[in-house]
Amino acid sequence: MMGMKMKKSDIAIMVITILIASVLFYRAGYVPPKVIEEEPIEKQIPQENLTVQKPPEPPSSFIIPSRRTLTSIDEGCHYKSILINREWWYFSAIFNDSSELDGWGVMISFNHMAYGDLFGQFKPDLLTVVLYDDSGNVYGGMKNDFRGTLKATTPGVDVKFENSWAEGEYPRWHVHAETGDVGYTEHTVVIDLDFFAHALPIWTFNTRLFNESKSKFASYVILGCEVSGQVTIDGKTYSVGGTGFHGHSWSPIYLRKFLIGGWDWMQVRLSNGWVLYISKFYPSSKVVASINPFGALIISTGGDSVTEFKIFDLEPKTSEKIFLFTKFPTRFYLSAKKTHNVLLERIDLTMSLDIKTISTYQKVWKFPTYVGFKVGKCAVNGSISWLDGGQRISVDLDGEGNVWITRMLP
């Protein structure tokens, strides 16, 4: 038989046919794929199956919506009303470990005082600029000057004392303060801070259910603000950030000095991320002893949920004499208790704290004024506990914050 010569086209057709057949056999499973041995892979647990343990939080308090509402008129000036003769705006902060001044703190306050508050001084406008560390060093101080030195307008925060000022509206404010404005010359300190509120304000005192700006006696505070900015000391600038508080209060002309013996304010950043606000007013010794001091104790665990005590004890444990029979406390013991919530459920909420003042500045006007202020840093530790479903839950508390102590003779 004679051999046949294959054409190039036939060879091409044969090759294509073999390739197609190989692919079909492979997909059909006739040609097993090459097995590659790999290292065993550890089985991963799906992220959605992970349970994050939420830290326990104390029972929250019911706060009517009007106590969490703030307008730009509320933030502005009220002392130009004929019935209001006393008004304060204050900003405080504790710097955290993201700052170049970790653990330092600051208190800045613009105060329009009544003429009789600093009797015999005839300088009722007051500015406080105090910067302090945790080693006892304090920069700045307090200065009172003639009426008109402090200027304020409405709406929003717009207040000025010489070269120091604060301006803004909820939720943002900027504060610029210079220690030269309070007569401090040992060091030159300039402070520029931005405050940003993550939580709603809360009215601690007011005389109206709605339209609090028309209250004759009112006070609100904004807890746990985010603070950032810079502090310049003798020409060297430090970047700072931390937790801050902003408050604003005013009172009427008929609330006179002889009715009040003093007050304590504390704003604390706790190590677990909570913040604590304490305000306590004390009646004068000439007022009937049966009148109990009034105040506010508020805990915020973050966001807008708060736990509030209206009745609590803030007892001085150690003190230092400032004039006559009047002393500045240097240490406090706080105790608070609430048995039921608004739904009359038993919660047995209790809290106890030891509070110690450190790194403080003192300003005392003696005869004939007899008024003293103490401003600075405080350290706290203690615990809080409550019932949840019949189970007792306890949380240890520790932290640091700002303290403002006022004592006066009528």
Side-chain angles (χ1 to χ4, degrees):
M1 185 172 72
M2 295 179 59
M4 298 180 61
K5 187 176 180 182
M6 298 184 66
K7 298 180 180 179
K8 292 182 178 180
S9 58
D10 295 332
I11 296 174
I13 292 172
M14 185 180 296
V15 171
I16 293 173
T17 301
I18 293 172
L19 291 174
I20 293 174
S22 299
V23 172
L24 291 175
F25 284 142
Y26 177 81
R27 291 187 174 181
Y30 291 99
V31 180
K34 183 178 180 181
V35 178
I36 301 175
E37 294 186 0
E38 297 181 350
E39 295 291 332
I41 300 176
E42 184 178 352
K43 187 177 180 180
Q44 300 291 327
I45 300 175
Q47 189 67 30
E48 57 269 10
N49 292 336
L50 294 176
T51 301
V52 178
Q53 187 68 33
K54 186 179 180 180
E57 296 183 357
S60 60
S61 301
F62 172 74
I63 308 294
I64 61 174
S66 63
R67 289 188 60 201
R68 309 305 302 272
T69 303
L70 187 68
T71 70
S72 59
I73 301 300
D74 298 334
E75 296 187 73
C77 173
H78 293 76
Y79 65 75
K80 294 179 182 179
S81 167
I82 192 171
L83 293 179
I84 306 298
N85 66 347
R86 189 181 295 102
E87 187 164 17
W88 293 29
W89 293 263
Y90 73 85
F91 298 84
S92 68
I94 288 290
F95 303 138
N96 57 25
D97 55 9
S98 66
S99 302
E100 294 182 83
L101 299 179
D102 179 25
W104 291 46
V106 64
M107 173 68 80
I108 301 167
S109 178
F110 301 85
N111 306 344
H112 177 98
M113 311 283 288
Y115 271 107
D117 291 343
L118 299 176
F119 180 74
Q121 295 294 312
F122 305 107
K123 296 180 178 181
D125 288 359
L126 186 69
L127 174 68
T128 302
V129 181
V130 176
L131 174 72
Y132 38 85
D133 61 18
D134 52 5
S135 301
N137 299 307
V138 178
Y139 305 81
M142 185 180 293
K143 178 184 178 182
N144 61 301
D145 213 328
F146 292 105
R147 179 68 85 213
T149 306
L150 185 148
K151 301 177 177 64
T153 63
T154 300
V157 176
D158 185 4
V159 58
K160 188 175 188 297
F161 189 109
E162 295 185 354
N163 296 312
S164 298
W165 51 269
E167 65 179 18
E169 292 185 15
Y170 179 87
R172 298 180 184 274
W173 306 267
H174 183 85
V175 184
H176 173 89
E178 303 180 11
T179 55
D181 292 339
V182 294
Y184 177 78
T185 58
E186 186 175 350
H187 297 277
T188 301
V189 180
V190 179
I191 301 166
D192 276 287
L193 298 176
D194 290 301
F195 283 70
F196 176 73
H198 290 281
L200 293 173
I202 181 166
W203 292 85
T204 55
F205 305 106
N206 58 324
T207 57
R208 296 175 63 96
L209 185 59
F210 301 101
N211 195 4
E212 286 83 352
S213 195
K214 291 188 177 181
S215 293
K216 300 302 181 289
F217 176 42
S219 177
Y220 65 81
V221 63
I222 302 170
L223 307 175
C225 296
E226 178 184 342
V227 177
S228 61
Q230 60 186 30
V231 174
T232 302
I233 304 175
D234 295 332
K236 184 176 181 180
T237 299
Y238 302 88
S239 176
V240 296
T243 301
F245 300 79
H246 167 44
H248 181 200
S249 62
W250 60 90
S251 59
I253 193 170
Y254 48 79
L255 182 61
R256 307 304 297 172
K257 177 185 172 184
F258 74 88
L259 296 173
I260 299 294
W263 61 84
D264 299 315
W265 290 344
M266 300 167 195
Q267 306 99 39
V268 180
R269 177 192 66 191
L270 297 171
S271 60
N272 62 1
W274 301 356
V275 292
L276 175 66
Y277 173 80
I278 305 167
S279 174
K280 198 75 167 179
F281 289 82
Y282 307 99
S284 168
S285 58
K286 288 187 177 181
V287 179
V288 179
S290 61
I291 298 179
N292 293 322
F294 58 96
L297 170 57
I298 301 172
I299 305 168
S300 173
T301 59
D304 292 319
S305 175
V306 298
T307 301
E308 183 179 36
F309 295 86
K310 281 296 186 181
I311 300 175
F312 59 95
D313 291 325
L314 186 64
E315 181 183 356
K317 303 303 291 185
T318 59
S319 302
E320 54 189 355
K321 183 177 178 180
I322 53 174
F323 43 73
L324 298 180
F325 304 106
T326 306
K327 298 180 180 180
F328 274 145
T330 58
R331 193 169 186 173
F332 299 87
Y333 177 75
L334 181 146
S335 61
K337 184 175 182 179
K338 183 186 289 187
T339 58
H340 294 79
N341 61 16
V342 69
L343 300 177
L344 299 181
E345 298 171 329
R346 191 168 188 87
I347 57 176
D348 282 344
L349 177 64
T350 62
M351 185 171 70
S352 60
L353 286 177
D354 183 75
I355 305 169
K356 181 181 179 182
T357 65
I358 53 177
S359 300
T360 58
Y361 164 83
Q362 298 183 12
K363 175 70 173 180
V364 176
W365 291 272
K366 294 188 177 181
F367 181 84
T369 307
Y370 291 120
V371 173
F373 294 98
K374 180 178 178 179
V375 182
K377 189 174 180 179
C378 65
V380 307
N381 63 80
S383 64
I384 185 171
S385 66
W386 64 92
L387 286 179
D388 185 3
Q391 180 182 1
R392 172 64 61 178
I393 297 175
S394 181
V395 177
D396 291 333
L397 303 176
D398 67 273
E400 53 190 11
N402 302 285
V403 60
W404 183 301
I405 299 171
T406 301
R407 294 293 182 269
M408 59 185 70
L409 289 182

